[in-house]
Amino acid sequence: MTTRIISVAVPVPLRQTFDFLPANEQDLPVLGARVKVPFGPRTLIGVVVALKDDSDLPLSRLKPIKETIDQRAVLAPDLLSLASWISQYYLAPLGEVCELMLPVILRQGGDLEPPAVKSWRLTDLGRSSPVEELNRAPLQLAIIRRFMQHQELTAAHFKDETSSWRQALRSLIEKGWVTEHTEHPKLASTSADTSEVDLNADQQAAFHAIHGALEAQQFSCTLLHGVTGSGKTEVYFAAMQEVLDQQRQVLLLVPEIGLTPQLMDRIATRFTVPVVSMHSALNDRERHIAWWHSASGDAKIIVGTRSAIFSPFANLGLIVVDEEHDASYKQQDGVRYQARDVAIYRAKKANIPIILGSATPALETYANAQFGKYQLSSLTRRATDTALPKVELIDLNLQPSNDGLSPALMEAIKHTLANSQQVMLFLNRRGFAPVLYCAACKQTAKCHRCDSHLTIHRRANRMRCHHCGYEGRITPQCDHCKAEELVEVGDGTQRVEEALAMRFPHAEVLRIDRDSTRRKGELEAMLGQARDGDADIIVGTQLITKGHDFPNIGLVGVLDVDQGLYSTDFRAPEHLFQQLVQVSGRAGRRDTVGRVLIQTRFPDHPLFKSVQSHDFNAFAKQLLSEREAADFPPFGYFALIRAESPHQAAAMQFLRRAKQDIQAQAGVVVLDAVPAPMERRAGRYRAQLLITAEQRSALHATLQQWLYHVSTDKEAKKRANSVRWSLDIDPLDFY
Ligand code: ADP
Ligand code: ZN
């Protein structure tokens, strides 16, 4: 009888799987199950990715696995093959991909099914007994009071208390006032209270385009390109309803849950099926439970951020990717996957439709729609029949700004407030001022660990580096010459907020940025406050630009975007355009025509013409023709090797050597190693090497060959271990 060999993906940064023998002849784990395996001196938890008859190693060198954790797969066959595709496409270690797909509790060896939890409920006796009886037992009284707000309590309700609540609870159980239950977590259905809206003609046309694929239950990829407020969400909902009627599940990917409380509300009021959300604010247990409900099929709608694309499903029928252009779909460390692209691959394999929605599609997506690879549905008008806002430019050369605000913008703010409408001001720079300058010695305050300036946070009396987190006190004297002639140069959201409070003393000014929303729930609360009209002027960073529906914004002011106009990053114009369209979209959403004012020193820049005419198509076509001429994505393919080291020149040396070692296939070009745009960050020197190709397959083959060299050649391996490096396929940012 041949011995079966078990291939295991182990969570280590090595691009290979490892072979083991069964623990004993009877006990052969199934594909996709977790196993504990000996790994050097350690024991690691890996996933069985293959069962085979022979190994590259002699049998005598294989060790037996230590333990089989699961009797059935944690990664079902569809997820195993997705993992293997991701590993091949992003050239990432399969073990790390498998790890990424599992909730933390399962990575650590926890039971597949979330364990039952204890909960406590009030009995009839407890409900009818007079609470005065507890006057001498304040803890018991406090627990009974809590039952007035909650039908049942779990340990989570007491997590901020000292442990004496357990004793108090036990006394209540002995008295017969409270009973204890032990149950597996259940999913509640929501109670819908709104009826469907009638889709308008454009929405109907968009829905019909998807409908065929929904009915036939087969793959199709549709770009739903609709201007802000055109009713894309309603089209998603119609498609989702169709799939729910087929008793199948829907996955809705969103950029950030914190930014989409309205969407969650709309789902809860529209659908009666159980909904789970998956995002980074969940704790490990909550995430495990959401994962479980998705796998069992109990959850019908799964709303999640990037990593939700790895969820298991019992019977998935549709994927929707909302704001598909959003950069948060790209993972920027570890396995550098792009969730939108993974979603398309997954939909194709599962043979189900996928909808990508955006007012400003990524150029890659837009091009695919133009080439006919995706279906295109366009919504060109707002659903509520309000006109798109009027966009005007303010030439800062003619009228300089004071604290970030030009006279023309000040006038417009005054006018808007007088009309009882809200003002939204966008400035993508938090803090008070980005530069502290000494008029005596002409030096500026710099981070000693990064090639960057320290940002002044006056309220906290701190100078902070936004790149490495360093912070220090603001001193009245210059660090270099000790003169007391420091000047705060440039504008951040805090300075603008202060200036507004001074100039509009009767207006409620609300600042929304990472600093003002550090605590959990704060961002949601502030967005709610802005939406409910409890703020007259909202000043914020890109946090305020995304997808919110603020009903009463009459004016949007864009304070400073000039940096993005002449950036070296080839994607900068695309991202700037998307940002301007998104922020402009916040103006005049209900019954008023909104006004948008953009302050700039370069009013003749062609990008503004497209923003003013709301002509995404013309702009996208122009950018695409530039990209085509330069063989940039989506006409060429990029990969970026990044390296960093605390030793100056080490990263550059490693990449120069990599360039020599890479044997470029036909059509593949390896550029020169260059320092990163900000070379030193958190005390590390960073460099990058760009590899471009006409064909993806040649790019992959070239990189695979180099990765093999780096992992097998002794000298190359040593060099690779001397720096920290990573490989990014389809990089989004160059830094
Ligand atoms: P988008 O997702 O494109 O930004 P939404 O779906 O949020 O647009 O719609 C914008 C606004 O228009 C919302 O207030 C929504 O309730 C409303 N709306 C959308 N479709 C319709 C419709 N067919 N009839 C009436 N109102 C609609
Ligand atoms: Zn720093």
Side-chain angles (χ1 to χ4, degrees):
M1 198 177 98
T2 56
T3 311
R4 294 290 269 176
I5 289 158
I6 306 163
S7 260
V8 180
V10 179
V12 292
L14 298 170
R15 287 172 172 80
Q16 66 178 103
T17 56
F18 297 87
D19 290 349
F20 294 90
L21 299 170
N24 57 58
E25 290 295 332
Q26 288 79 42
D27 185 19
L28 196 66
V30 297
L31 266 182
R34 288 169 301 165
V35 288
K36 286 189 183 162
V37 295
F39 202 80
R42 296 181 292 167
T43 299
L44 294 178
I45 293 174
V47 175
V48 177
V49 292
L51 297 165
K52 30 184 215 179
D53 291 326
D54 49 4
S55 173
D56 293 343
L57 293 173
L59 281 192
S60 58
R61 291 195 42 200
L62 298 185
K63 292 185 184 146
I65 61 172
K66 288 195 161 170
E67 187 189 329
T68 301
I69 298 177
D70 305 300
Q71 296 314 307
R72 55 190 167 132
V74 276
L75 291 182
D78 66 322
L79 284 177
L80 267 191
S81 68
L82 184 66
S84 127
W85 177 77
I86 289 173
S87 160
Q88 282 162 31
Y89 185 86
Y90 293 104
L91 297 166
L94 184 59
E96 290 187 350
V97 178
C98 289
E99 186 185 32
L100 187 67
M101 288 184 159
L102 293 176
V104 171
I105 287 181
L106 297 185
R107 293 178 200 169
Q108 294 167 343
D111 286 345
L112 194 53
E113 182 172 3
V117 287
K118 279 201 180 110
S119 65
W120 299 280
R121 282 178 217 149
L122 216 53
T123 61
D124 285 342
L125 180 64
R127 213 164 289 136
S128 57
S129 302
V131 289
E132 291 76 39
E133 284 184 29
L134 299 177
N135 274 351
R136 280 203 246 132
L139 268 179
Q140 294 181 37
L141 186 61
I143 291 174
I144 295 296
R145 291 238 161 89
R146 283 196 182 199
F147 278 114
M148 294 172 183
Q149 277 133 34
H150 303 278
Q151 280 227 341
E152 63 171 45
L153 297 173
T154 62
H157 289 103
F158 297 100
K159 68 179 193 309
D160 298 328
E161 318 272 311
T162 61
S163 57
S164 35
W165 63 268
R166 284 190 183 275
Q167 181 53 46
L169 199 57
R170 213 163 301 138
S171 306
L172 286 169
I173 293 170
E174 278 161 18
K175 273 200 197 96
W177 287 30
V178 170
T179 52
E180 184 170 281
H181 304 258
T182 306
E183 275 168 349
H184 289 280
K186 278 202 292 280
L187 255 183
S189 291
T190 56
S191 51
D193 61 12
T194 44
S195 51
E196 292 174 29
V197 302
D198 293 323
L199 297 184
N200 63 34
D202 286 357
Q203 287 169 317
Q204 265 174 32
F207 176 61
H208 274 293
I210 306 157
H211 192 253
L214 286 174
E215 245 179 9
Q217 305 192 353
Q218 64 187 24
F219 172 73
S220 75
C221 182
T222 305
L223 168 60
L224 181 57
H225 179 197
V227 298
T228 51
S230 58
K232 294 182 289 296
T233 311
E234 292 300 335
V235 178
Y236 305 157
F237 283 2
M240 286 160 68
Q241 189 59 57
E242 185 93 8
V243 171
L244 294 171
D245 290 344
Q246 297 167 359
Q247 311 302 322
R248 306 178 97 195
Q249 294 167 291
V250 176
L251 171 65
L252 172 56
L253 291 182
V254 295
E256 274 180 73
I257 293 269
L259 295 176
T260 46
Q262 277 172 293
L263 182 63
M264 295 306 290
D265 289 350
R266 274 170 80 175
I267 290 172
T269 51
R270 173 63 61 84
F271 299 99
T272 49
V273 297
V275 179
V276 297
S277 61
M278 293 195 185
H279 51 87
S280 56
L282 297 185
N283 65 31
D284 291 347
R285 190 180 130 73
E286 290 168 324
R287 183 166 266 276
H288 182 202
I289 292 171
W291 186 92
W292 173 257
H293 285 315
S294 178
S296 67
D298 292 343
K300 300 303 178 198
I301 300 176
I302 294 87
V303 186
T305 48
R306 187 171 65 220
S307 65
I309 191 54
F310 301 129
S311 306
F313 298 99
N315 53 3
L316 186 62
L318 171 70
I319 304 178
V320 178
V321 185
D322 190 26
E323 309 288 356
E324 66 83 32
H325 64 279
D326 198 280
S328 72
Y329 287 123
K330 175 82 173 82
Q331 168 113 341
Q332 301 285 21
D333 53 24
V335 181
R336 291 168 159 78
Y337 66 95
Q338 158 58 267
R340 178 235 299 140
D341 295 345
V342 174
I344 295 168
Y345 178 85
R346 194 163 180 187
K348 197 167 196 170
K349 285 287 146 181
N351 205 21
I352 57 170
I354 177 168
I355 305 171
L356 312 176
S358 176
T360 52
L363 273 193
E364 281 83 351
T365 306
Y366 183 78
N368 277 325
Q370 293 294 316
F371 303 155
K373 246 178 102 178
Y374 304 161
Q375 292 191 69
L376 177 64
S377 288
S378 301
L379 303 175
T380 52
R381 273 169 308 178
R382 284 184 162 180
T384 47
D385 264 342
T386 24
L388 286 165
K390 190 163 153 35
V391 182
E392 299 153 73
L393 301 176
I394 296 175
D395 187 345
L396 287 179
N397 301 302
L398 303 179
Q399 47 170 314
S401 67
N402 203 343
D403 295 329
L405 305 161
S406 63
L409 183 57
M410 284 294 295
E411 264 315 299
I413 295 173
K414 229 177 271 174
H415 188 76
T416 309
L417 294 178
N419 278 337
S420 307
Q421 287 189 312
Q422 290 172 297
V423 175
M424 177 178 269
L425 300 177
F426 169 61
L427 174 61
N428 216 0
R429 205 183 299 124
R430 63 195 170 87
F432 185 83
V435 177
L436 188 64
Y437 173 79
C438 173
C441 73
K442 319 270 185 258
Q443 300 264 23
T444 53
K446 296 208 178 75
C447 177
H448 59 280
R449 305 166 63 199
C450 304
D451 293 332
S452 72
H453 283 111
L454 292 172
T455 300
I456 299 141
H457 288 252
R458 207 151 76 175
R459 187 109 20 110
N461 198 27
R462 303 299 257 184
M463 297 201 286
R464 294 195 180 122
C465 174
H466 287 182
H467 301 283
C468 72
Y470 163 83
E471 59 172 80
R473 282 174 56 83
I474 306 179
T475 52
Q477 301 136 357
C478 170
D479 237 12
H480 305 278
C481 73
K482 306 293 170 215
E484 297 198 5
E485 291 183 50
L486 295 175
V487 191
E488 292 152 335
V489 183
D491 309 305
T493 46
Q494 286 181 17
R495 171 174 256 167
V496 175
E497 179 194 21
E498 274 186 24
L500 289 165
M502 291 257 290
R503 296 187 212 181
F504 300 99
H506 301 295
E508 185 74 33
V509 181
L510 181 68
R511 171 167 59 88
I512 303 183
D513 57 26
R514 291 267 172 237
D515 296 316
S516 71
T517 57
R518 273 182 204 284
R519 273 180 299 251
K520 200 175 162 178
E522 240 166 357
L523 177 60
E524 289 87 334
M526 285 198 177
L527 292 172
Q529 194 183 337
R531 190 170 57 242
D532 297 343
D534 291 339
D536 303 310
I537 308 177
I538 301 135
V539 45
T541 55
Q542 43 87 25
L543 285 184
I544 61 172
T545 63
K546 302 189 177 183
H548 320 294
D549 188 3
F550 298 122
N552 193 34
I553 305 270
L555 170 71
V556 167
V558 178
L559 301 194
D560 179 11
V561 289
D562 287 350
Q563 275 183 355
L565 289 174
Y566 295 100
S567 163
T568 51
D569 181 351
F570 79 95
R571 283 189 219 270
E574 178 189 357
H575 290 161
L576 181 57
F577 183 83
Q578 286 166 345
Q579 209 160 46
L580 287 176
V581 172
Q582 294 288 344
V583 71
S584 304
R586 305 306 126 219
R589 297 259 298 188
R590 282 284 149 79
D591 39 16
T592 51
V593 180
R595 195 172 172 208
V596 179
L597 290 176
I598 302 175
Q599 302 187 144
T600 176
R601 269 178 206 83
F602 307 99
D604 297 328
H605 196 286
L607 184 139
F608 292 127
K609 297 243 160 35
S610 312
V611 176
Q612 286 184 290
S613 58
H614 302 284
D615 197 346
F616 178 88
N617 292 311
F619 182 72
K621 281 178 182 144
Q622 169 65 27
L623 279 187
L624 279 174
S625 71
E626 287 170 25
R627 296 238 188 129
E628 184 164 22
D631 287 332
F632 280 178
F635 302 96
Y637 304 98
F638 283 6
L640 194 67
I641 305 176
R642 296 189 181 88
E644 57 177 60
S645 163
H647 307 293
Q648 190 159 17
M652 280 292 284
Q653 260 163 21
F654 169 72
L655 292 180
R656 281 202 198 101
R657 186 60 207 240
K659 179 178 160 113
Q660 287 170 17
D661 288 345
I662 293 174
Q663 294 174 14
Q665 298 213 347
V668 176
V669 177
V670 185
L671 277 69
D672 285 330
V674 291
M678 189 176 92
E679 186 178 14
R680 200 165 54 104
R681 181 174 175 161
R684 293 175 163 274
Y685 294 87
R686 306 162 331 134
Q688 55 197 31
L689 182 66
L690 180 65
I691 300 136
T692 71
E694 290 161 20
Q695 300 293 334
R696 243 184 225 299
S697 52
L699 181 66
H700 273 78
T702 301
L703 290 168
Q704 257 156 358
Q705 187 270 337
W706 177 71
L707 287 170
Y708 182 76
H709 174 72
V710 168
S711 63
T712 49
D713 181 88
K714 219 169 145 205
E715 287 303 309
K717 214 166 156 174
K718 217 165 102 190
R719 281 194 297 274
N721 285 334
S722 71
V723 296
R724 201 192 276 178
W725 63 274
S726 64
L727 176 58
D728 194 350
I729 306 291
D730 306 333
L732 199 58
D733 289 311
F734 296 80
Y735 58 82

